[in-house]
Amino acid sequence: APYRAHLLRHNGGRPEPAHFEVRWPAHADPAVTEWGGGSVAWFLSVGDPASSVDLLDAYDGDRDTVPDDTIAIASDPGGNPI
């Protein structure tokens, strides 16, 4: 679990490089596959009073926009959950 190791080591943070690419399955909707990537502004932390972006708070706040079986672990530069 690379994300778990990252969270234990850094508990949040801003990645460098921040860009990521998305590889869509062959059967994906062509309208969706035009989106090929994005960037992470910051990873969410857990229980860090010095951080203004807590993973558990974001989870509670994202329930209207993120599917129930998904949890956001980061935000893009516009504040959208990743």
Side-chain angles (χ1 to χ4, degrees):
Y3 172 67
R4 182 180 294 182
H6 168 83
L7 187 60
L8 289 170
R9 184 172 183 191
H10 301 286
N11 196 20
R14 295 178 183 269
E16 289 184 23
H19 181 75
F20 62 88
E21 294 181 11
V22 176
R23 294 188 187 125
W24 296 99
H27 64 277
D29 183 336
V32 172
T33 60
E34 290 181 15
W35 181 73
S39 61
V40 173
W42 61 85
F43 283 100
L44 305 177
S45 63
V46 176
D48 182 358
S51 175
S52 62
V53 187
D54 185 82
L55 188 139
L56 299 176
D57 290 340
Y59 176 80
D60 289 339
D62 290 339
R63 292 301 77 207
D64 292 339
T65 57
V66 176
D68 289 340
D69 63 346
T70 305
I71 185 168
I73 61 169
S75 293
D76 73 6
N80 300 300
I82 297 175

